[in-house]
Amino acid sequence: MSLYTSFAVAGAGPTIGGRIVKALLERGASVVALARPSSTSTSSPLLEGAKIATADYADVKAVASILREHKVEVLISAVAYGALPSQSTIADAAKEAGVKLFVPSEFGLPTEGGKGGHMVIKSQFADYLKSLGIPSVRFYTGMFMEFVPQFAGVDTGKFMVLGKGDASFSTTALEDVAGFTAHVLTSLPPAKLHDATFRIEGERTSFNKVGALYASKNIPVEHVTSLPEGYVKQTLLQGLFEQGRGSSGWDNYVDKDIPENAHSGNAAWPGHQWKSIKEVLEL
């Protein structure tokens, strides 16, 4: 069976979607960046070499027309949290256009079997893809390394740790996430991708371990019982991580971490040298 060569990326912004576009292009794939008319990302250098198409994600006919025009085989969604509901109509368009594989917007903590918040939204969408008969592949990557400073409040001049800070969690560099995604989608046969899940981990660490790196750069580490006002997402994430739920190996069905599963997908990219937090954050 032949490999996939034609892709569309919805949500091709500068965080992960645009990087996936770039990584696919570097592997010789045909890529169309599917943007909404209001998008400001279409002029990004990350999209250089990609075809650009704009459409309202809610317009199933328009999106389907673009997918058919470019003979898209695989549709990758990298839409942000606020746009997750738009995936349903994008999936409808994919079904109408005969897309063979859908990559939903995961690229974070495991959501299968999750019972709250975004995990429910993402799990329900996975069920919706099954109801449409569209195969999917999910990527669990842990926290993007580049986001660690934000979640520890480094912008305050301190590295803040909520709780003990010794629970292990998974981190992966954005470049590695994009590269891995592009690698497996272009090198593995469809049978290895359809309804598969890849769990990857660039480095397993803890807030205390990362804090030690910052301390070596004379940025003080402070253990706190609460984060500053307005740090809602940071408080939520650090709380989840304190419970061990920040691992790519977390299993929501049994409610525990299975550490050896956290990097089980890494083997699909043999010979790759995964970036470290010290390298990415220049610590």
Side-chain angles (χ1 to χ4, degrees):
M1 190 176 289
S2 59
L3 303 178
Y4 289 131
T5 59
S6 178
F7 301 83
V9 179
T15 301
I16 188 60
R19 294 170 191 263
I20 291 174
V21 169
K22 182 174 184 289
L24 285 167
L25 290 169
E26 289 172 347
R27 286 159 176 77
S30 171
V31 187
V32 55
L34 182 60
R36 288 176 289 192
S38 60
S39 174
T40 58
S41 300
T42 53
S43 60
S44 168
L46 292 171
L47 307 187
E48 187 175 339
K51 307 174 190 74
I52 309 294
T54 58
D56 184 336
Y57 291 164
D59 189 337
V60 174
K61 295 295 183 184
V63 175
S65 177
I66 291 168
L67 299 177
R68 277 195 297 265
E69 177 188 350
H70 296 283
K71 298 180 173 60
V72 171
E73 299 168 308
V74 181
L75 200 159
I76 302 163
S77 171
V79 299
Y81 175 79
L84 287 177
S86 69
Q87 289 191 118
S88 295
T89 50
I90 296 173
D92 291 337
K95 175 69 174 179
E96 186 173 318
V99 167
K100 298 174 181 177
L101 180 67
F102 198 110
V103 182
S105 184
E106 295 280 355
F107 307 110
L109 306 182
T111 58
E112 292 173 63
K115 301 176 179 64
H118 75 287
M119 291 187 290
V120 172
I121 297 173
K122 292 186 175 185
S123 292
Q124 288 176 340
F125 179 65
D127 291 339
Y128 185 63
L129 287 173
K130 288 180 182 178
S131 75
L132 293 176
I134 304 176
S136 67
V137 57
R138 300 162 89 168
F139 294 93
Y140 298 141
T141 64
M143 178 185 281
F144 297 145
M145 289 180 179
E146 291 84 349
F147 284 15
V148 172
Q150 172 190 345
F151 283 97
V154 173
D155 58 329
T156 66
K158 298 178 290 188
F159 187 93
M160 294 183 287
V161 181
L162 185 62
K164 295 180 179 179
D166 55 4
S168 295
F169 61 89
S170 304
T171 60
T172 311
L174 285 166
E175 185 177 326
D176 282 344
V177 172
F180 179 86
T181 301
H183 172 75
V184 298
L185 290 177
T186 57
S187 66
L188 295 184
K192 295 280 189 180
L193 296 170
H194 289 192
D195 300 320
T197 297
F198 291 94
R199 298 170 183 260
I200 62 174
E201 180 180 77
E203 182 178 345
R204 194 169 184 82
T205 189
S206 68
F207 277 106
N208 283 346
K209 289 179 180 177
V210 181
L213 294 175
Y214 274 95
S216 71
K217 297 294 184 179
N218 298 316
I219 295 176
V221 177
E222 184 176 331
H223 285 258
V224 298
T225 56
S226 64
L227 294 175
E229 184 178 354
Y231 279 53
V232 178
K233 185 182 291 187
Q234 292 90 334
T235 298
L236 173 64
L237 263 294
Q238 283 215 36
L240 290 173
F241 283 26
E242 183 74 1
Q243 300 169 32
R245 297 174 183 269
S247 170
S248 296
W250 185 267
D251 189 323
N252 289 303
Y253 293 107
V254 297
D255 212 34
K256 71 175 184 179
D257 182 29
I258 304 176
E260 60 270 25
N261 285 352
H263 55 84
S264 57
N266 290 30
W269 200 1
H272 178 66
Q273 296 297 312
W274 298 82
K275 295 182 182 299
S276 68
I277 286 182
K278 184 174 183 178
E279 176 185 1
V280 170
L281 299 184
E282 299 181 344
L283 297 171

